[in-house]
Amino acid sequence: MNYDIKSEISILEYAKSVEGKSLNQFFSDNGFDSVNEESTSYNTGKGSLGQIVEEAVFGYKINSKKDADFSEVGMELKVVPLKKVKISNTGLAKREGLSVKERIVLSIIDYEAVVNECWENNSLNKKMLKLLLMFYIHEKDIPKLDQYFRLVSKWEPSPSDMEVLKEDWNTIVDKIRLGRAHELSEGDTLYLGAATKGSSAKTVRNQPYSSIPAKQRAFSLKRNYADQIFETLLMQIKNKQVKDVLPITGIIRNVLDKYQTLSIAEISSATGIEKSNAKHWLRLFCNKLIELELGEKFSKSNSIKMAGVELKTILLQANDIPKEAMSFEQIDYNTIVDEEWEDSGIREKFELMKHIWVVFKTTKKYDKQSELKLSDIYLDSIYLWNMPMLDLEESYKALWEDTVEKIGKMDFDNFMKTKDNKVGHIRPKAKNSKDKVVFNGVLVPKKAFWLNSKYVASEIKRMKNQTSSTNKCLL
């Protein structure tokens, strides 16, 4: 191979020669013999193009070593697929109609070993602190060797990113140390995830401190975060200024420091944010409050995009229970009947994502929120919430299965109610009773997945009582 394995510059220059080409073009330009992409050596499924790059471009055999691929310079190689999306003006990548297709998997989590590591000397750093990223446009009907490499570049996490990655790593490892590896979820963290990894979703391995087998998982850079890495690298190429993004946790802390325990009236007076006449005015008020801290629109903020979070506002009554349940998107009946639970949209929403819960409270009794004055509602707290895995895999899975079964039977009148499931229920979410959708040629009511108000209250109480781990090195 035409590069010096001991020189980072040489490796990068050689890798860059693939940029703007397919592998077939690269092989032809360099006088290499092509490879048979259907041969046993390479045809191993999802990661096969990455394996071709490793073996046929860089000349080393696939391995599972703990050191970085280019260990002499401490750099790990990752071949990352891009997908085509709707063109928009929300960034350089979207202007090209491109987005990262999936998370960037780093290394399998060794539950037995990782509990004896601490952040300062953890084995993951060999695979994460310096990455050679080769982004290619994945197109289903185009042969692997003809896929186009859009961008090849080195990436290293920024100082603020490192703080989030450190916190994420500690969150994952602390859970394993508590004997709860079987409860790990990608929603536990912001940038660094614990993604399921194996030949099937049922692949398990032993964990320390518990006899319960845990799903095999891998440390990975979450898809939303990987998307922003791609955007950042595109900006660097065009010599655009890349700001060090304040993590969403920092934004939340800043908002709480300034406004916690203040009433809406006091916050409005301090910020100039006025109450709108919209039915969901409290949500709009929260958006503007957080946007004030972000310095930009909520939907355009890199802090929000990198974390992949969704905002929900909650108003607690004097008894600490919301009057209203929490709603999510309307059910797409045509899609849900063809889904499996493991790959369902609602499971992905609760397993992969964190949700910002902005919690307000009032001590006044009321029937309708419109009866309350702005001075009656105050900011109680803000939490980054994700559904505990046991609740997701037991109660919410049962709700999903019951819903799919009844949709299949065209039974839209007997979905689970609040009393039937401790976590959630199904109920209408439409403009009015005439707002319906066509399914199997019949007009049927629009309905959605909801979280029960008492469940929301119990989760707020759990988070309030939750003590943070010390994250001390256990060596």
Side-chain angles (χ1 to χ4, degrees):
M1 299 297 104
N2 190 24
Y3 69 94
D4 180 359
I5 200 168
K6 296 182 180 180
S7 167
E8 181 179 303
I9 293 175
S10 176
I11 295 169
L12 288 170
E13 287 179 348
Y14 178 69
K16 271 282 189 183
S17 65
V18 182
E19 188 176 86
K21 305 173 184 177
S22 69
L23 288 186
N24 268 334
Q25 290 173 314
F26 170 77
F27 293 142
S28 175
D29 290 349
N30 289 275
F32 297 164
D33 291 331
S34 187
V35 298
N36 175 11
E37 65 178 282
E38 302 304 325
S39 70
T40 304
S41 175
Y42 300 114
N43 188 28
T44 56
K46 190 174 180 180
S48 57
L49 184 59
Q51 293 173 0
I52 293 174
V53 170
E54 288 179 313
E55 292 194 20
V57 175
F58 288 100
Y60 63 83
K61 294 293 182 182
I62 306 304
N63 59 75
S64 58
K65 65 181 183 179
K66 293 183 178 180
D67 289 334
D69 293 320
F70 303 104
S71 56
E72 290 83 357
V73 296
M75 186 161 60
E76 178 79 359
L77 170 67
K78 290 297 172 185
V79 178
V80 184
L82 302 170
K83 61 182 178 181
K84 291 187 175 181
V85 296
K86 185 177 179 180
I87 293 174
S88 70
N89 291 319
T90 56
L92 296 178
K94 297 299 189 295
R95 286 181 189 139
E96 293 186 32
L98 296 175
S99 178
V100 172
K101 183 173 179 286
E102 58 198 36
R103 62 182 71 86
I104 300 175
V105 176
L106 300 169
S107 63
I108 296 293
I109 302 174
D110 184 338
Y111 298 135
E112 300 283 352
V114 77
V115 294
N116 295 314
E117 297 179 353
C118 61
W119 173 252
E120 288 70 23
N121 65 353
N122 77 82
S123 54
L124 176 65
N125 283 341
K126 296 177 182 178
K127 300 270 188 176
M128 182 179 67
L129 297 186
K130 190 190 298 180
L131 297 181
L132 171 55
L133 297 175
M134 302 181 69
F135 294 93
Y136 71 96
I137 301 174
H138 176 269
E139 296 187 80
K140 186 176 179 181
D141 299 324
I142 293 181
K144 289 189 287 291
L145 295 181
D146 291 323
Q147 306 273 357
Y148 173 83
F149 279 82
R150 170 62 185 86
L151 175 66
V152 176
S153 185
K154 181 182 78 168
W155 173 82
E156 296 175 272
S158 70
S160 62
D161 285 5
M162 282 298 293
E163 286 302 309
V164 180
L165 292 166
K166 175 183 178 179
E167 189 172 334
D168 287 346
W169 185 90
N170 280 317
T171 297
I172 293 167
V173 175
D174 284 344
K175 212 165 191 177
I176 300 169
R177 287 174 181 150
L178 291 171
R180 295 169 54 202
H182 57 290
E183 296 179 22
L184 283 170
S185 164
E186 283 194 76
D188 291 337
T189 50
L190 293 172
Y191 298 173
L192 180 70
T196 53
K197 183 73 173 173
S199 55
S200 76
K202 296 181 179 179
T203 302
V204 296
R205 60 194 301 161
N206 293 331
Q207 61 167 314
Y209 314 123
S210 175
S211 59
I212 302 173
K215 285 184 179 181
Q216 179 168 279
R217 291 182 178 269
F219 285 118
S220 63
L221 301 181
K222 298 176 74 169
R223 198 202 68 79
N224 282 294
Y225 181 52
D227 221 19
Q228 288 306 303
I229 291 173
F230 179 56
E231 177 71 18
T232 297
L233 294 175
L234 287 176
M235 291 178 69
Q236 289 174 349
I237 289 173
K238 292 185 176 291
N239 294 318
K240 291 183 175 290
Q241 184 179 5
V242 179
K243 296 180 181 178
D244 195 11
V245 176
L246 181 63
I248 189 60
T249 48
I251 299 292
I252 290 172
R253 279 193 293 269
N254 289 348
V255 172
L256 285 175
D257 287 345
K258 293 176 182 178
Y259 308 113
Q260 191 171 24
T261 74
L262 297 186
S263 69
I264 295 286
E266 291 171 318
I267 296 172
S268 180
S269 176
T271 62
I273 301 172
E274 297 181 354
K275 174 184 176 296
S276 74
N277 294 321
K279 185 178 179 180
H280 58 297
W281 70 268
L282 192 56
R283 162 66 189 266
L284 296 175
F285 189 90
C286 286
N287 264 24
K288 290 179 180 178
L289 186 62
I290 293 176
E291 285 173 357
L292 194 64
E293 201 62 42
L294 290 168
E296 57 189 341
K297 285 287 187 182
F298 190 89
S299 60
K300 294 183 178 181
S301 166
N302 284 339
S303 296
I304 301 300
K305 291 176 184 177
M306 288 168 72
V309 292
E310 181 175 332
L311 179 68
K312 290 289 183 181
T313 53
I314 301 163
L315 176 57
L316 298 179
Q317 302 172 97
N319 63 358
D320 288 333
I321 297 175
K323 185 178 282 289
E324 302 292 335
M326 184 182 291
S327 68
F328 293 89
E329 294 88 348
Q330 290 163 343
I331 298 170
D332 184 335
Y333 300 125
N334 292 292
T335 299
I336 197 171
V337 292
D338 293 325
E339 289 179 331
E340 297 293 333
W341 168 245
E342 288 292 335
D343 302 312
S344 64
I346 197 67
R347 185 183 185 279
E348 180 174 302
K349 172 177 284 293
F350 290 124
E351 205 274 332
L352 302 184
M353 288 181 63
K354 273 196 177 293
H355 303 246
I356 304 176
W357 282 10
V358 185
V359 182
F360 291 88
K361 189 172 180 180
T362 182
T363 56
K364 302 281 185 176
K365 289 186 178 181
Y366 67 96
D367 291 320
K368 295 181 179 179
Q369 191 175 301
S370 58
E371 299 171 5
L372 296 171
K373 299 176 182 177
L374 297 187
S375 57
D376 294 332
I377 304 171
Y378 65 89
L379 177 60
D380 182 78
S381 197
I382 305 176
Y383 300 104
L384 277 171
W385 175 84
N386 64 288
M387 187 179 290
M389 187 57 76
L390 292 180
D391 291 345
L392 180 63
E393 292 294 356
E394 293 178 4
S395 297
Y396 226 75
K397 180 181 180 181
L399 174 64
W400 181 89
E401 289 175 336
D402 181 79
T403 303
V404 172
E405 180 183 352
K406 285 170 180 168
I407 292 171
K409 294 177 179 179
M410 299 296 288
D411 180 5
F412 292 88
D413 298 320
N414 295 295
F415 289 124
M416 278 189 174
K417 298 179 174 59
T418 303
K419 63 182 176 62
D420 302 321
N421 189 288
K422 76 166 190 174
V423 175
H425 62 279
I426 305 296
R427 66 188 249 214
K429 186 179 182 183
K431 296 176 183 176
N432 51 52
S433 60
K434 294 180 180 180
D435 186 14
K436 297 187 177 183
V437 65
V438 176
F439 175 64
N440 281 351
V442 180
L443 276 174
V444 297
K446 292 180 178 179
K447 300 204 174 186
F449 284 97
W450 293 67
L451 293 183
N452 300 339
S453 58
K454 287 186 177 180
Y455 176 72
V456 172
S458 69
E459 283 298 281
I460 292 172
K461 184 177 180 180
R462 175 182 67 82
M463 289 186 286
K464 267 188 179 176
N465 295 334
Q466 198 171 46
T467 55
S468 59
S469 168
T470 57
N471 295 329
K472 289 181 179 178
C473 183
L474 300 182
L475 293 178

